[in-house]
Amino acid sequence: MIDLKRFEVWFVTGSQSLYGTETLKKVAANSQRIAAALEAAAAVPVRVVFKPVLTTPDAIAQLCREANNAPHCIGLICWMHTFSPAKMWIAGLTSLRKPFVHLHTQANREIPWGAIDMNFMNLNQAAHGDREFGFICSRLRKNRAVVVGYYEDADVQAELGLWARAAAAWADAQGGRVARFGDNMREVAVTEGDKVEAQIRLGYSVSGYGVGDLVKIVNEVTDAETAALVKEYRATYKLGPGTQGDAGTQGLRTAAKLELGMRAFLTQGGFKAFTTTFEDLHGLEQLPGLAVQRLMASGFGFGAEGDWKTAALVRAMKVMAAGLKGGTSFMEDYTYHLVPGKMLVLGAHMLEVCPSIAAGKASLEIHPLGIGGKADPARLVFNVPAGAALNASLVDMGNRFRLIVNEVDCVKPAQPLPKLPVARALWAPRPDLKVAAAAWILAGGAHHTGFTQAFPAQCLEMFAEIASIEYIHIGADADLRQLKNELRWNEAAYAR
């Protein structure tokens, strides 16, 4: 599982020596108090580490170098308690390779009306000290999040927590590895992309493997290991059609061998995400369904049909969602319900939807697939609970990557789906299907997505800012005319 407490962010306070020793002692004490409050905040999922107050250009540059080289440091929280002349920050910020968030707060919540004097004013200058810092960040074209408000307030801590999740996903991607079993589905455009540019821009590498490499490890799985996992299957899930008798047992054994082999391959190779394709199953008895679902549930990213961009995105979203209520999965817009006033999307895939998004206990079933030309595959069948969710797509536009996010509202199916033996989600896109689908298509969004009910769109927006990639948001206020203009303007902004 994904543990975000192994990551830390450094709480960095700016000031200057002009104020004298006693004032700087108060600055340090206040900064330690704020850092401790954020460290203790339930909404902040990583460790918050206080760093000594910075008052000179050399000290700032040294801290930024240390942050760059600290493996567990995923970024900085920067705050100017007093006025901190921003020319001091140029060398440090220029060299900084870790993301940072600018916290615009102050040590005191209220103005002490009857007691305020110039000593108080000299100490508590964040109102204009942060503006000086903000200018140099903008002048240096530094992407960052800006969070405004009192540090003890729940909304401020929640925003910082979302930024920390985005920063953790970014850190996780750096040096991450994606395995492709086979190539992409032939002649499909959107699942392709520039792997070299992805490694430069997003940090992860993508490596292809012949299916025979996987088959070799699958064939090494022992009968005892297989039997133990089948026993776990039967104890964990509801047993549905196709799982009984000798044929059912054999089908589950095949699925278990696939899971054990794939898990061993991915773990031994240090992979965080992977893809499969039903057009390249040489030597495999089934298209991996149950195996993929369970691997996703344990934290791996996945993309079907060779879609490595979605696999990496699902992994990033898994990191962002760690410890939160609500699951995260690979998903696909499959078919529509086009009744006026009640338009809905049925999301599913052939087999591979993560059970972390299941409403209740999933049903383990074996059915014919009708594609891939292999034995009937095992899979988990379930509905997704009602509630707010996101669909996200990462696409390669040729000169840049674009992250497209649509807010949706999942609903309970009005009727049972007894003849649809796959995991599925039903949702109403925001603002409605007509506008959302048109906006998605205009933006070039893929049919594969990362789906989550764990966190809001702001977290993905922060991730896009950290990665310096284009972000397109489709929500309740989406307007097609405005979106078209945004896409045109972005062509100019990202031209190179």
Side-chain angles (χ1 to χ4, degrees):
M1 301 304 287
I2 299 167
D3 179 17
L4 297 187
K5 282 299 181 184
R6 63 192 175 93
F7 295 125
E8 61 188 37
V9 295
W10 292 359
F11 191 87
V12 176
T13 308
S15 187
Q16 60 178 321
S17 57
L18 172 70
Y19 299 107
T21 302
E22 291 305 312
T23 296
L24 289 176
K25 285 182 180 178
K26 294 177 182 177
V27 168
N30 288 340
S31 297
Q32 285 178 296
R33 187 177 78 250
I34 295 174
L38 298 179
E39 163 78 3
V44 180
V46 302
R47 294 195 59 223
V48 179
V49 178
F50 169 79
K51 290 294 177 178
V53 177
L54 301 174
T55 59
T56 68
D58 288 344
I60 293 168
Q62 177 62 29
L63 180 131
C64 290
R65 288 193 294 269
E66 291 174 358
N68 287 338
N69 295 320
H72 297 295
C73 174
I74 61 171
L76 311 179
I77 300 174
C78 297
W79 172 53
M80 306 301 112
H81 191 315
T82 66
F83 197 80
S84 180
K87 287 172 65 177
M88 296 196 306
W89 288 85
I90 293 174
L93 290 176
T94 300
S95 68
L96 183 64
R97 298 192 304 273
K98 298 286 177 77
F100 67 97
V101 56
H102 184 180
L103 176 59
H104 187 42
T105 191
Q106 60 186 30
N108 57 297
R109 182 187 289 275
E110 301 178 3
I111 294 174
W113 303 105
I116 188 170
D117 57 17
M118 285 310 301
N119 287 333
F120 181 93
M121 296 284 276
N122 285 334
L123 175 63
N124 297 285
Q125 297 188 44
H128 64 285
D130 276 331
R131 283 170 167 77
E132 169 78 354
F133 181 73
F135 163 74
I136 203 61
C137 293
S138 296
R139 177 68 177 80
L140 294 172
R141 310 302 196 265
K142 298 294 288 187
N143 287 346
R144 76 279 188 196
V146 178
V147 176
V148 179
Y150 193 58
Y151 69 93
E152 289 185 342
D153 288 347
D155 63 330
V156 170
Q157 294 180 354
E159 280 192 74
L160 289 172
L162 291 178
W163 173 83
R165 291 178 179 280
W170 175 253
D172 181 77
Q174 305 314 295
R177 303 185 69 201
V178 180
R180 297 178 84 205
F181 297 120
D183 203 349
N184 74 308
M185 190 167 69
R186 290 185 281 277
E187 306 299 336
V188 176
V190 77
T191 55
E192 289 285 24
D194 188 335
K195 301 182 190 69
V196 174
E197 185 63 20
Q199 189 166 353
I200 293 169
R201 178 64 59 189
L202 296 163
Y204 56 81
S205 63
V206 182
S207 301
Y209 295 89
V211 177
D213 295 329
L214 173 60
V215 170
K216 180 178 183 297
I217 294 184
V218 169
N219 290 339
E220 292 172 353
V221 174
T222 68
D223 290 344
E225 292 171 323
T226 302
L229 188 53
V230 170
K231 183 177 180 181
E232 180 182 327
Y233 292 165
R234 293 190 180 279
T236 303
Y237 309 112
K238 293 187 291 185
L239 299 179
T243 59
Q244 304 302 326
D246 292 343
T249 298
Q250 183 55 44
L252 293 181
R253 286 179 59 81
T254 300
K257 287 190 69 173
L258 274 172
E259 179 183 340
L260 291 164
M262 294 177 79
R263 192 178 296 274
F265 188 104
L266 296 171
T267 302
Q268 292 166 14
F271 295 103
K272 296 177 178 178
F274 67 103
T275 72
T276 61
T277 172
F278 60 79
E279 286 191 323
D280 193 353
L281 297 173
H282 175 75
L284 296 179
E285 296 181 45
Q286 294 179 7
L287 174 63
L290 178 61
V292 171
Q293 291 178 296
R294 284 173 52 87
L295 286 165
M296 260 195 290
S298 62
F300 288 97
F302 172 74
E305 294 129 31
D307 190 350
W308 53 269
K309 296 188 300 300
T310 300
L313 177 62
V314 170
R315 167 64 185 194
M317 293 171 70
K318 289 277 188 184
V319 174
M320 294 179 209
L324 295 177
K325 182 181 179 181
T328 300
S329 178
F330 169 78
M331 185 59 71
E332 178 172 279
D333 296 65
Y334 228 100
T335 194
Y336 290 141
H337 185 66
L338 294 180
V339 176
K342 300 178 182 178
M343 292 187 179
L344 300 169
V345 179
L346 180 63
H349 205 257
M350 293 182 297
L351 304 171
E352 310 99 339
V353 174
C354 179
S356 67
I357 62 173
K361 197 172 187 178
S363 175
L364 176 57
E365 303 181 11
I366 298 176
H367 298 274
L369 184 61
I371 196 168
K374 294 291 182 177
D376 299 347
R379 84 290 302 270
L380 297 174
V381 177
F382 53 84
N383 291 322
V384 173
L390 301 174
N391 268 313
S393 173
L394 182 66
V395 295
D396 185 347
M397 297 302 295
N399 65 339
R400 65 193 184 278
F401 289 99
R402 173 182 286 168
L403 181 61
I404 306 159
V405 177
N406 184 203
E407 296 177 338
V408 306
D409 293 292
C410 289
V411 298
K412 183 179 178 181
Q415 299 181 40
L417 299 162
K419 296 183 178 181
L420 184 63
V422 296
R424 59 269 175 147
L426 188 66
W427 66 79
R430 298 180 190 174
D432 56 54
L433 191 148
K434 287 174 68 69
V435 172
W440 190 271
I441 289 170
L442 287 167
H447 55 290
H448 291 165
T449 63
F451 172 95
T452 188
Q453 292 184 306
F455 55 80
Q458 187 181 8
C459 195
L460 284 166
E461 182 178 6
M462 290 174 167
F463 179 82
E465 289 172 346
I466 291 170
S468 297
I469 61 175
E470 183 184 6
Y471 177 79
I472 300 294
H473 179 258
I474 306 168
D477 60 350
D479 177 90
L480 290 178
R481 185 175 291 109
Q482 181 178 338
L483 174 73
K484 290 176 184 178
N485 282 331
E486 182 179 354
L487 294 173
R488 294 187 188 104
W489 298 331
N490 286 358
E491 286 296 333
Y494 286 92
R496 65 179 186 184

